[in-house]
Each structure stands twice: as structure tokens, then as C-alpha cells.
């Protein structure tokens, strides 16, 4: 043991010396797997290839099994077991952009990964039918959607192949097989499958397969590209036809997560492979935590997405579930299409009937067998207090606070004044102490169906509690029952921003609005795995569909539509597809009122970007904002990277490219992005440039667009010039200027939102903006 350590120490010194860097000192950071990112693979650039070979050699000399992964197709670099000191030393070598520890990224379901593990399952999805229902299933068969996730359950009906599907000549991927995943699992609908082992998980051997042992990846894949399946339901609930946003698209699976988590080194390998395989769209429903948000060059999703987008792949990512706090959005690089989550017009209603017949509405999914008439004693948690517990804990039904003798056979009402405890812990307390049902109070999750399976549980808003309490007070023997869950359609208002959906502005760059777009992510019904790991209720067979929530679920809705847009407009690159989806979004709900947040406030671009995605309008956007690779490189300049670093990152770069000498984050506002974020600060005004490209063909190609601009707050003015854009042919570009200024005499405070809309007789092209004065 000692000798072994000594050897490593000696080699470590040798490395430091051979790399010629005696100044390197170990900063905070642990020994472990590090990702060494070396920018783009540029075969024409001999220096980069040579640097990588030299570095790999010196790392292999350290420990012969040090290198756990190499990136080579679209991304240059490797992942290796290193000490913190070695990692620091490597970071200073020529050709290296960044070195950062391999980390676990989280799936963006509303329940934490820990909970999924603990409960083995459930609680994710929505209705793939709703947004894509207008796209013809014959379309999109020429597109491939790559899913970077937990794998797939290939036997699901959602992935049935059609014999008419032609072979895709452009496809360069592979189908990695395993004992439980044979070559027939790649059936023409699923055309690629890869898996990545976890370099630091010893139990990983069970997961050397593309098969899904979590359910999340199957759900995401079927939402993006599932074929039509009739009679889909979750044990009879939400019954209907399930289909993905682009039912004709092929699916390529990149299984980077195991039940232990999703390794960022694996995620980067999946991006690298997907670039070589030839996918059109990548759907990524996971990300780093908003609490430890890495910068762009230390985040494998940001890095992988940059190279994918440079290769023409549209990358769609979930915004994260750390809302509703401000500045929680992740996956916020400008080359990513970042997706927030909204509710759909379906409620999973489970009502409480009080003695006397009064009905109080709640929400949940449960599988118990209570009678329909209110015959069960109803008790307030406080009344069931154990003698040694505090009143506050009993009111909230916190573990150990409820007296078994008091609640036998009763339904218990538990408040939620203690956010430290989950609804499931409270349900567990009542269930384990002999209650027959539980009424939980939670204003946030009221519209998000929690699945309690075996136990009658219902979640309701705090505004309904006084009614129940006064009923309990008014009678000597209060009784109640909990009714079966029914899925009620046409719920209004919808959409609404889901409480958990992560909010802008981005911590990394306030001068780009994030998220970009919103899509359904609450109570989504989609395919599930056919084993018992997914939380099968007692006494039931596994359901091949499940209802779960999260930005994980909204992301593939957008991925599906991105594939349909690509199929209809093969010449569109990722930025045109993004622009088409953003400029055609809607800001109204099914009451024809402005979409609101969960709390009833009018939603802003920091909640939903450009708005709720339209499933059809993006197919013909009229005009688009093109954002080029050079725009993204300028973004990196303004963000603070230097020319040397940026030249490593880009695959193709104009020979004379240099960061402007006056690079500041303020200049980011001028990047040709489909939304506008301006910081006025002490400045009186700021003049922004945008360029639109005419992509209409046929008789729409010669159109005049007229301007309308609106400002939703006080103290800020916007002046746009010119006020008309006259396009005479397809492909033509025209520029406009928008000048934002503070109004004389008024002091604008905080953020002022608004929009600039260009309308022709056929198309409407809307661009949201935010002006922040602080
Ligand atoms: C759907 O379910 C209903 C009732 O369970 C049944 O009558 C019908 O045949 C089913 N349809 C299909 C296509 O399976
Ligand atoms: C196809 O994939 C292989 C590796 O899997 C790669 O070497 C090759 O460059 C890829 N071809 C294209 C056209 O990307
Ligand atoms: C709970 O009530 C049932 C009958 O309703 C009874 O059989 C059981 O013994 C009671 N348990 C306790 C712990 O009081
Ligand atoms: C119920 O009665 C208790 C006292 O018995 C009182 O503190 C409480 O405010 C009453 N609640 C309602 C909703 O009337
Ligand atoms: C560019 O930035 C990198 C990383 O911050 C730094 O190591 C390098 O010295 C810089 N190069 C120049 C020319 O400033
Ligand atoms: C930046 O400044 C240097 C000298 O300080 C000058 O040589 C160079 O041309 C400038 N570059 C740009 C893009 O203005
Ligand atoms: C904004 O900038 C453009 C180009 O520099 C210029 O033509 C235009 O007059 C400016 N507008 C205002 C109001 O300053
Ligand atoms: C979906 C489902 O099975 N819901 C059940 C919820 O609980 C009631 C009884 O309280 C059952 O009747 C429902 O079937």
C-alpha cells in the first residue's frame, strides 16, 4: 500500500516536472475523475492533436488505467483519474481549455433523484398527444432524435416500428447490445443505442445495457417521438391516444444515467458520439444543480451542446426544477434551446366528501378502496398529537408526532407549515400509525398530481383548509371520505407556469433571456418500463404508461416539434429552428387571458421565455433570426474568454478572428438572438441591432412586415426603426434597430418587459425583451 502511494507520488512529481510547471499548487478539489476539455477536434490543426497525444501519454505514464474516456469525434479531450494537483497542472498545459471534476447531474423530474431511488419510481409525466397532435405521423421519418437519458424500454408500443420506414442512409450510429437488449431491440424506430458505464460506481455492472431501469428515458423518448398508441392510460386514468411530438422520427438512445445518477463524463461522451452518429435533434432532460452552477467551459452539457450545434444538431434541454426562485435556470448557454414547464388542461382530481355532503376539491393519484360515503372519522393532526410531541409537529403530521391509539381508522388532516418535510413523509406517518386516509395541504403541488399508490391521500390548497377545520369544529363526530381520482379535461386556466419550473435570469449571463420557451411538463402521460422497478402499486401489473411531472417532460415536447420543423424545412440549422419555435409562441391561456404563474401573477420572459410553444406555427415562421457560430464566439469573448481559448473551442473559425478589445457582457445584448435582454444601469439609452432572414417561400416570399411594440411597465421607452420591413425575395436579410431608454423624469426600477412584433398578412414574428435598470 505504502509503496503504491509512493510510486504515485513520484510519478506525480515527474509529471509536474515534465510538463514544465513547477508553480502549480493544489487548490480545493479532490482526487477522482476529471474531465480534460481541449476544445474542438480539428484534424487540420496538427498542434491540437499533438497536444492531446502528449497529454494522454503523460497521464498514462502516471497510472496505466488512468484514462476512463476519450473524446474524439466532435469534441477533443479525455476523462481520467487524477489527483487534484495533477488536474491543476494539466489545466495549465497548452491546448487545454478547462479541467473540472466529473460530477453527477440530476434528472429534471419533480421528485429528487434520491426519492426516485428510495421509492423506486414514479411521478413524472404528461400528455404527448396534446402538443404534437397536428403533425402528421408520416412526417419526420427522415429525422433522428437522440435522447441522452436513462435508456429505453424497447418493447413499449410507443416504439413499434413501421415496415414502411425506409432505411436512413445518413445514419452512422450503432446498436450496442447486452443480455437484455438484442439487435432486434433496434427495430427501425429505435435505430441507435449506446450505454456508458459509470467510472466510479462499482455496482455499475448491472447497468451495462441501453435498457431503462428508471423509466425516465422511456417517458422522454415517447414524448418526443413515440408512435400513436390507442387506449393508453395509467390504470384507467387519463385514458386516450398517446403519441409523441414527432411520431415519425427515429430514436437514438444514449444511456448515460444509472440509478446512481448521470455522470458528466458520460454525458460528454454521448454528445461526442451523437455528433458522429448523425442525429438531428438532441433531447437532454437533465442538468447540473442550480446551487453549484458551472460556467460554460466547465459544464459538459454546455460544451457538448456547443459542438453539437456547430455540427448542425439542435440541442433542447430542460431548464431545471429549482423554481419558483429567481435565477435558478440551468442549461442556459445561448446555443441551447432551454425549456420551462407549464400545466396542461387536465386535472387529476380526487375529492374529499365531508359529512353532510359538502365536497372539497383536491388532487392526487391513489389506489385505495374507501367507501364513497363519508363514514370515516375525520381528525385534525393537532388533535392526534402524541403526548411527547409538539403541537406544531402534530399539526403537520411530522414523523413521530401522531398517536397511534387516536387515529386508528380515521382520515387525518395535515397542514404544511414545515417545508422541511415532504408530503410523502407525512403520508407515511399517518399510514404507519393506522390512519385510513390523509388530507395533505400544499399550495405548490396542488396542480401536480402526486402518486400515493396504495394509500388514499389527497393534496389540497391552504385556502380550502378553513372550511374543513370549521366543519371539524362544528360537529361532535366529524366524518369524511376520499373519492377516486378522476382526470378532468378542459381545466381552466391552462397553461400556467409550473411552480417548480426554474426561472431566469441566468446566473451565468443576464444579457440573454433564459429560459427560451415553455411546454407542457405537469401530469404528463407517456410510456414507462414494463418491470416492477417503476413503482408498481400493490396488487397491480406494471403499467406501460405513467403520469409524471418536471421540466424533464416539457423538454421532449419541444424536441419533437424541433424535429418536425427540421423535416419541413431541411435547410434550417439549429438557430433557425429555435427562432421559429420562439417567435411563434403564445402568451395566452385557454381563458384568452395572459398566461400566469402558479401564484396568479402575469408570466414574464423569466418564467417562460417567448411563451408557450405552438405545435404548428413554427413550421412556417416567415422570418427567422440566424445566430451564427461567430455570434456564439463573440458571446464567449463578451463573457470573458480570450481569443486563445476561443480558437481552441471552435471547429471552424475565420482566420482573422479576434475578440473585440472592448469586450464586455453588455455587448451580449447585440448577439442576433430571438429575444432581447438589455441592462441599462446608469445609461440613459441603448441601441440594439437585430437582423431577420426571410424564410417564406412561394407567394409569401415578398411581404411587407409592419411593426408593433409594447412595453409592459413604466419608465422605459422603446423606439424601433424602421417601422416597416419590405422583403422582396426568399433568403433576404433586413436589419432593424431598437433603442431602449429611460423616460425623462421617471426612475425605472427592476425589470421592464415587453415585445417587438413584425406582422405581415401571413406571419407574426414576436420578440420578447427585458430592460433592467438596476
Ligand atoms: C380500447 O379499450 C376498449 C375498452 O377497454 C376496447 O373496447 C377497445 O377495443 C380498445 N381499443 C383498442 C384499439 O385496443
Ligand atoms: C461515423 O462514426 C465513426 C465512429 O463511430 C466515426 O469515426 C466517423 O467519423 C463517423 N462518420 C461520420 C460521417 O461522422
Ligand atoms: C383499530 O381498529 C380495528 C377495528 O376498526 C381494530 O380491529 C384494531 O384492533 C384497532 N387497532 C388499534 C391499534 O387500536
Ligand atoms: C376550531 O376551534 C378551535 C378551538 O376549539 C379554534 O382555536 C379554531 O380557531 C377553530 N377553527 C375554525 C376554523 O373555526
Ligand atoms: C487566455 O485565458 C487562459 C485561461 O484563462 C489563460 O491561461 C491564458 O494565459 C490566456 N491567454 C492570453 C493570451 O491571455
Ligand atoms: C486591439 O488592440 C491592439 C493593440 O492594443 C490592436 O493591435 C488590435 O488591432 C486591436 N484589435 C481590435 C479588434 O480592435
Ligand atoms: C442605432 O444604431 C444604428 C447603427 O449604428 C443607427 O443607424 C441608428 O441611427 C441608431 N439609432 C439611434 C436611435 O441611435
Ligand atoms: C386511480 C385510482 O385507482 N384511484 C383510487 C383512489 O382511491 C379511491 C378510493 O379512495 C379508489 O376508489 C380509486 O380507484
Amino acid at each position: 500500500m505504502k509503496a503504491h502511494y509512493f510510486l504515485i507520488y513520484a510519478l506525480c512529481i515527474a509529471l509536474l516536472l515534465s510538463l514544465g510547471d513547477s508553480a502549480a499548487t493544489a487548490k480545493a478539489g479532490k482526487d477522482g475523475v476529471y474531465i480534460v476539455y481541449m476544445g474542438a477536434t480539428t484534424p487540420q490543426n496538427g498542434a491540437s492533436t499533438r497536444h492531446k497525444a502528449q497529454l494522454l501519454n503523460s497521464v498514462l505514464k502516471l497510472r496505466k488505467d488512468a484514462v476512463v474516456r476519450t473524446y474524439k469525434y466532435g469534441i477533443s479531450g479525455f476523462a481520467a483519474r487524477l489527483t487534484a494537483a495533477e488536474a491543476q497542472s494539466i489545466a495549465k498545459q497548452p491546448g487545454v481549455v478547462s479541467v473540472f471534476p466529473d460530477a453527477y447531474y440530476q434528472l429534471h423530474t419533480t421528485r429528487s433523484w434520491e426519492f426516485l431511488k428510495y421509492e423506486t419510481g414514479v411521478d413524472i409525466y404528461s400528455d404527448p398527444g396534446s402538443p404534437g397532435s397536428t403533425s402528421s405521423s408520416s412526417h419526420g421519418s427522415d429525422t433522428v432524435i437522440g435522447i441522452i437519458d436513462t435508456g429505453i424500454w424497447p418493447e413499449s408500443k410507443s416504439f413499434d416500428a413501421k415496415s414502411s420506414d425506409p432505411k436512413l442512409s445518413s445514419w452512422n450510429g450503432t446498436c450496442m447490445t447486452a443480455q437484455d437488449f438484442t439487435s432486434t431491440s433496434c427495430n427501425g424506430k429505435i435505430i441507435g443505442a449506446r450505454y456508458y458505464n459509470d467510472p466510479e460506481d462499482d455496482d455499475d455492472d448491472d447497468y451495462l445495457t441501453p435498457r431503462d431501469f428508471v423509466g425516465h428515458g422511456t417517458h422522454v423518448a415517447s414524448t418526443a417521438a413515440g408512435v400513436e398508441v390507442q387506449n393508453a392510460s395509467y390504470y384507467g386514468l387519463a385514458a386516450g391516444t398517446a403519441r409523441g411530438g414527432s411520431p415519425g422520427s427515429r430514436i437514438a438512445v444514449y444511456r448515460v444515467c444509472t440509478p446512481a445518477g448521470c455522470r458528466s463524463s458520460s454525458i460528454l461522451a454521448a454528445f461526442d458520439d451523437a455528433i458522429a452518429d448523425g442525429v438531428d435533434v438532441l433531447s437532454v432532460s437533465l442538468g447540473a444543480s442550480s446551487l453549484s452552477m458551472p460556467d460554460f467551459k466547465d459544464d459538459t452539457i454546455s460544451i457538448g451542446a456547443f459542438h453539437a450545434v456547430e455540427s448542425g444538431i439542435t440541442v433542447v434541454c430542460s431548464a431545471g426544477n429549482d423554481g419558483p426562485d429567481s435565477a435558478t435556470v440551468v442549461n442556459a448557454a445561448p446555443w441551447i434551446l432551454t425549456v420551462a414547464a407549464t400545466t396542461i388542461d387536465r386535472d387529476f382530481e380526487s375529492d374529499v366528501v365531508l359529512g353532510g355532503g359538502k365536497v372539497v376539491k383536491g388532487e392526487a393519484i391513489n389506489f385505495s378502496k374507501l367507501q364513497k360515503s363519508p363514514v370515516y372519522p375525520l381528525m385534525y393532526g393537532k388533535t392526534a398529537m402524541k403526548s411527547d410531541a409538539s403541537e406544531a409537529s402534530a399539526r403537520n403530521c411530522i414523523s413521530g408526532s401522531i398517536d397511534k391509539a387516536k387515529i386508528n381508522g380515521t382520515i387525518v388532516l395535515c397542514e404544511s407549515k414545515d417545508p422541511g418535510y415532504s408530503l410523502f413523509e407525512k403520508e407515511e406517518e399517518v399510514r404507519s400509525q393506522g390512519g385510513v386516509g390523509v388530507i395533505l395541504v400544499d399550495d405548490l403541488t396542488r396542480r401536480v398530481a402526486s402518486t400515493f399508490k396504495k394509500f388514499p391521500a389527497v393534496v389540497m390548497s391552504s385556502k380550502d383548509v378553513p372550511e374543513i377545520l370549521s366543519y371539524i369544529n362544528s360537529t361532535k363526530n366529524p366524518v369524511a371520505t376520499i373519492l377516486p381520482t378522476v382526470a378532468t379535461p378542459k381545466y381552466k386556466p391552462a397553461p400556467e407556469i409550473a411552480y417548480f419550473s426554474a426561472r431566469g435570469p441566468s446566473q451565468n449571463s443576464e444579457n440573454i433571456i433564459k429560459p427560451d420557451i415553455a411546454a407542457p411538463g405537469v401530469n404528463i402521460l407517456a410510456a414507462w418500463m414494463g418491470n416492477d422497478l417503476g413503482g408498481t402499486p400493490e396488487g397491480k401489473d406494471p403499467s406501460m404508461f405513467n403520469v409524471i411531472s418536471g421540466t424533464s417532460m416539457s423538454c421532449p415536447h419541444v424536441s419533437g416539434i424541433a424535429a418536425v420543423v427540421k423535416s419541413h424545412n431541411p435547410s434550417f440549422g439549429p438557430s433557425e429552428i429555435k427562432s421559429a419555435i420562439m417567435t411563434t409562441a403564445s402568451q395566452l391561456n385557454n381563458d384568452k387571458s395572459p398566461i400566469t404563474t402558479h401564484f396568479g401573477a402575469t408570466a414574464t420572459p423569466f418564467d417562460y421565455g417567448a411563451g408557450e410553444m405552438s405545435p404548428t406555427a413554427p413550421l412556417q415562421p416567415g422570418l427567422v433570426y440566424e445566430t451564427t457560430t461567430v455570434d456564439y464566439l463573440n458571446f464567449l469573448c463578451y463573457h470573458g474568454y480570450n481569443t486563445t481559448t476561443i480558437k481552441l473551442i471552435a471547429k471552424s473559425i475565420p482566420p482573422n478572428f479576434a475578440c473585440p478589445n472592448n469586450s464586455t457582457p453588455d455587448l451580449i445584448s447585440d448577439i442576433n438572438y430571438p429575444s432581447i435582454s438589455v441592462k441599462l444601469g446608469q445609461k440613459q439609452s441603448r441601441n440594439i441591432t437585430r437582423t431577420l432572414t426571410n424564410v417564406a417561400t412561394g407567394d409569401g416570399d415578398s411581404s411587407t412586415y409592419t411593426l408593433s411594440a409594447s412595453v409592459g411597465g413604466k419608465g422605459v421607452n422603446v423606439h424601433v426603426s424602421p417601422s416597416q420591413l419590405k422583403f422582396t425575395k426568399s433568403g433576404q436579410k433586413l436589419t432593424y434597430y431598437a433603442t431602449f431608454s429611460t423616460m425623462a423624469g421617471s426612475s425605472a426600477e427592476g425589470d421592464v418587459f415587453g415585445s417587438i412584433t413584425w406582422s405581415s398578412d401571413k406571419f407574426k414574428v414576436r420578440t420578447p425583451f427585458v430592460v433592467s435598470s438596476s
Side-chain angles (χ1 to χ4, degrees), residues 237 365-370 456 482-485 540:
L237 273 179
I365 297 174
N366 74 88
F367 296 99
S368 71
K369 303 182 188 72
L370 292 187
I482 296 173
L483 290 184
T485 305
K540 308 233 179 201

Side-chain angles (χ1 to χ4, degrees), residues 91-93 96-97 297 640-646:
K92 296 187 174 141
Q93 299 314 307
V96 176
V97 175
K297 65 175 175 19
Y641 296 175
N642 61 31
T643 306
T644 319
T645 302
I646 288 169

Side-chain angles (χ1 to χ4, degrees), residues 588-634:
L588 295 182
N589 64 25
N590 57 5
D591 269 338
K592 305 255 178 298
S593 305
I595 293 173
T596 63
T597 67
H598 183 85
F599 309 100
T602 300
T604 76
F606 288 148
D607 301 312
Y608 65 8
E612 178 85 357
M613 176 183 68
S614 158
T616 47
L619 304 189
Q620 290 181 298
L623 308 174
V624 294
Y625 294 98
E626 277 179 56
T627 320
T628 62
T629 298
V630 170
D631 286 325
Y632 296 136
L633 300 181
N634 279 326

Side-chain angles (χ1 to χ4, degrees), residues 362-382:
E363 170 134 2
I365 297 174
N366 74 88
F367 296 99
S368 71
K369 303 182 188 72
L370 292 187
Q371 293 183 40
K372 297 230 165 90
S373 53
V375 295
Y376 306 94
L378 173 63
M379 190 178 281
Y380 185 22
K382 188 176 89 172

Side-chain angles (χ1 to χ4, degrees), residues 404-409 433-434:
K404 198 171 185 141
K406 290 180 184 162
I407 70 158
N408 190 26
Q433 298 306 308

